[in-house]
Every structure is written in C-alpha cells, then in structure tokens.
Amino acid sequence: MAVDIDNVYQKVLALANKEQRGYITPQEFNLFADKAQKEIYNNYFHGIKMAEAKPKNQMNYADEVEMLEEKLHPFHVDETVNASTATLTLPTTINKLISITRSGNEVTQVNKTQIAYTENNPLTKAALTRSVFVREDIGEVTIFPAPSAATYNVDTSVPADGVLDAESFEVSFYSTPSTPNWAYVLVGSTGFEKALYNPNNATNFQLHSSEEENLVSRILMLAGVTIQKPEIQQAGAADINLIRQQQNS
C-alpha cells in the first residue's frame, strides 16, 4: 500500500508551522518529497547488504531481510525484452538489475576483462545454456552468444508478418520510484490565492505504508535547511535516529 502524499504534506506543515517556525510551499515540498523517497529507497539495498551479515531470524515476519524485500516488492518488475543482435537494451525504468533469463536459463554477468579470456577458451566459451552478458553503457548489455536466426523466437514486425526476427529475454529488475507530486490548484482572489490539493493529478509515494513517519522526518530535516530553521532540521534528524534505534533494537 502506497503512502498518501497529502497525509505527509499536512503532517509536515503542522510540524513546521508549530510556534510559527515557517511555511513550506508545495513546490519545495515536492522537491523534498522526491529526495526523501529516493534516500529511503536506496537505503533498502544497503540495509539488505548489512542484514545478510547478521544471524537470520527464524520467524519471517521479524527477519530484517524479509522485511526489506517486502518493502522492495512493489518495485520488482519482470519484463520481456526482445533483441535481434548481441546488444540488449534494458527497460528505461530500471534502477537495479536483478537477473536476465534466456529460455529458462539465467544469463551470468561477467566483466569486460573476463570476457576476452572466457570467449577465447573452448571450455569457458558461452553457450546457449550458459549464456553470459557484459554491462556496457547505461541501459545496454551485450549478450554472449549473440541472438541469431537459429535462436529467434518472436515476430516483432508491426503488423506481424509471420517471420521470427528476434529473441526474447526476461529481465528482472527493481524499477525507479515514480516522482511524488502534491498537485494543487490556486483558489481565492488575486493576491490572496491559496493552494488547494488536487488528488486527481497527484502522485503518491510508492513506498510501503510503514515509511510514512520516516518520510515526514526526512522532509522536515530537508526543509529545516532550506528555510534556515535549525530546530526543524534537528527535530527531523532526531525522529530519524529514533526510527533507526527502534528498527535495530
């Protein structure tokens, strides 16, 4: 379940306006919201790395890795990508690649220095049942062995002409979170306009519902820097530290 962006904004405003500490405009909030969501999302991967080094909990609901993977689940995407040459173009929404599968077999990643040796050795040379890939520029990988007429299994022509001209691969990845947006319309007389929430054009946070308070705290901390109110920044930082202590206890 996603986090309602209006709930977060109203909480941030209530806390920031306490004792006349300052006002955060919708434009500022949207910038802070995007940064806060990205920070939390990226911390999941670091959290999994750290948690895997700890002893496993026998109860799944209390296991740290299980909880982090549950939070990442909404971002997990399996997408079919077609290629007619060795170059496979990855989906534009990809943030972190999980795996590439070819005819049910996982394609193994190797680096560019390794591929020169493995491809020149008949014992390690890539085959259809043990394919490999090399990361190239952002958004592309090179597949070994390359797709060919012998491996083509899909017709990509529009309209279809019945000729198989590409090979399909299944790409599993974690997608980039959508940019949150507290949408609004201006109401009131000229010079006294007020931003009114417009849910029809708004984009909620994609994060797990349990992250609502974490989002509020991070946005408060960012806002405190911008409006030069250190007490807001300190309050947000204190809340984040409390959340971390509770999670690690």
Side-chain angles (χ1 to χ4, degrees), residues 68-136:
L68 289 169
E69 288 180 344
E70 179 184 349
K71 292 180 178 182
L72 278 169
H73 182 70
F75 303 98
H76 190 154
V77 179
D78 295 319
E79 186 171 320
T80 298
V81 180
N82 301 319
S84 57
T85 67
T87 299
L88 182 71
T89 301
L90 300 174
T92 57
T93 56
I94 193 170
N95 179 275
K96 182 176 178 61
L97 180 64
I98 299 174
S99 65
I100 298 176
T101 304
R102 182 182 205 176
S103 300
N105 298 306
E106 184 170 344
V107 184
T108 304
Q109 179 176 351
V110 298
N111 59 46
K112 289 186 177 181
T113 58
Q114 290 176 311
I115 198 67
Y117 296 103
T118 59
E119 285 302 287
N120 288 321
N121 188 324
L123 296 177
T124 58
K125 186 177 177 65
L128 291 178
T129 55
R130 58 173 193 280
S131 301
V132 300
F133 73 89
V134 174
R135 296 297 289 259
E136 302 293 350

Side-chain angles (χ1 to χ4, degrees), residues 3-11 29 182 197 202 204-205:
V3 179
D4 186 274
I5 194 166
D6 189 47
N7 285 348
V8 174
Y9 189 28
Q10 298 309 320
K11 287 183 178 181
F29 172 79
W182 191 85
Y197 180 55
N204 288 322
F205 295 97

Side-chain angles (χ1 to χ4, degrees), residues 127-219:
L128 291 178
T129 55
R130 58 173 193 280
S131 301
V132 300
F133 73 89
V134 174
R135 296 297 289 259
E136 302 293 350
D137 294 332
I138 295 176
E140 291 183 347
V141 301
T142 299
I143 302 291
F144 296 86
S148 65
T151 63
Y152 290 166
N153 57 6
V154 62
D155 178 5
T156 61
S157 301
V158 180
D161 58 12
V163 177
L164 303 180
D165 57 9
E167 183 179 354
S168 62
F169 295 81
E170 183 174 280
V171 179
S172 298
F173 62 95
Y174 289 116
S175 62
T176 301
S178 300
T179 302
N181 178 43
W182 191 85
Y184 63 95
V185 293
L186 293 176
V187 297
S189 57
T190 304
F192 298 93
E193 296 94 340
K194 180 180 179 181
L196 180 66
Y197 180 55
N198 181 6
N200 295 325
N201 292 330
T203 302
N204 288 322
F205 295 97
Q206 281 189 278
L207 298 176
H208 192 275
S209 57
S210 64
E211 298 289 9
E212 182 169 325
E213 297 308 315
N214 196 0
L215 283 165
V216 171
S217 299
R218 286 181 179 274
I219 294 170

Side-chain angles (χ1 to χ4, degrees), residues 41-57:
Y41 172 81
N42 289 328
N43 281 341
Y44 290 157
F45 301 105
H46 177 69
I48 288 176
K49 180 181 178 181
M50 299 299 293
E52 286 179 338
K54 301 177 183 178
K56 293 279 288 186
N57 194 304

